[in-house]
Amino acid sequence: MVRTPASQLDEESRLFAELYPPLRRFAAVVGPIEMDPDDLLQEAVARVLRRRRLTDLDEPGAYLRKTMVNLASNQRRSQARERRALGRFIASAEPVGDVYPSDLNELLGLPPRERAVLYLSEVEGYRYAEIGSLLGCSEAAARKRAMKARRHLYAQVIAEVTDG
């Protein structure tokens, strides 16, 4: 069966509508707080569509998740460079950027890849083998990231309890 451009567009639209809700939730967890989840998802989709159609991908959801994690990591590195540069010029002890009091502050302190692994395992219920394939790493690497993230969060909670 030969697909017409209109039927290809319909198929792309249907696939995107199906993928959008879980990918948006993922973007909200992985992305920096300064970046709107829809913007992160839109940038990931735009980058993917520059190279190929969503329907041409074997696992479009996994491909988009990996793209969002990479974009979030790039954003975090860029912000760190910016903070270091501003730190040279700002003499005050005020933190650079917005501070949001929340129980999620500890999660926001984790790198995007670690947040992604925790979200996919704890919230979405994926197994580590699935997480590894979604994020483009091995099952062992996904387990290690989750363990590292949990240790980091545990240390923060213990420090908070002993300080408070």
Side-chain angles (χ1 to χ4, degrees), residues 11-109:
E11 191 176 338
E12 290 272 322
S13 297
R14 181 202 53 78
L15 178 60
F16 184 74
E18 178 183 309
L19 291 172
Y20 178 78
L23 288 176
R24 191 198 182 279
R25 286 191 303 271
F26 184 79
V29 170
V30 172
I33 197 162
E34 302 84 15
M35 181 179 262
D36 184 74
D38 288 317
D39 291 343
L40 179 59
L41 178 54
Q42 180 180 356
E43 180 63 26
V45 170
R47 287 192 180 208
V48 169
L49 291 177
R50 282 185 207 135
R51 296 176 185 239
R52 62 184 58 97
R53 296 178 175 276
L54 289 177
T55 53
D56 293 342
L57 298 169
D58 292 334
E59 294 287 333
Y63 199 90
L64 287 167
R65 280 186 185 91
K66 186 174 179 183
T67 303
M68 284 190 286
V69 168
N70 290 338
L71 287 169
S73 294
N74 292 345
Q75 178 74 16
R76 182 178 179 172
R77 279 191 296 275
S78 175
Q79 288 172 340
R81 284 190 300 271
E82 200 173 287
R83 279 192 300 274
R84 283 193 304 271
L86 286 175
R88 295 181 200 130
F89 299 108
I90 299 175
S92 73
E94 299 273 332
V96 177
D98 296 333
V99 177
Y100 296 95
S102 168
D103 292 336
L104 297 177
N105 276 340
E106 289 82 11
L107 282 176
L108 295 174

Side-chain angles (χ1 to χ4, degrees), residues 21-22 25-26 65 118-127:
R25 286 191 303 271
F26 184 79
R65 280 186 185 91
L118 282 182
Y119 174 78
L120 290 170
S121 67
E122 302 300 326
V123 177
E124 295 288 328
Y126 284 97
R127 293 186 301 266

Side-chain angles (χ1 to χ4, degrees), residues 107-161:
L107 282 176
L108 295 174
L110 294 174
R113 292 183 198 287
E114 290 178 14
R115 277 198 317 252
V117 170
L118 282 182
Y119 174 78
L120 290 170
S121 67
E122 302 300 326
V123 177
E124 295 288 328
Y126 284 97
R127 293 186 301 266
Y128 290 109
E130 296 169 318
I131 294 169
S133 71
L134 289 173
L135 298 179
C137 63
S138 67
E139 177 180 355
R143 283 183 190 279
K144 188 172 183 175
R145 284 186 180 138
M147 182 177 67
K148 185 177 176 182
R150 286 187 186 102
R151 281 186 186 153
H152 183 82
L153 291 175
Y154 180 76
Q156 285 182 339
V157 168
I158 293 300
E160 188 176 299
V161 168

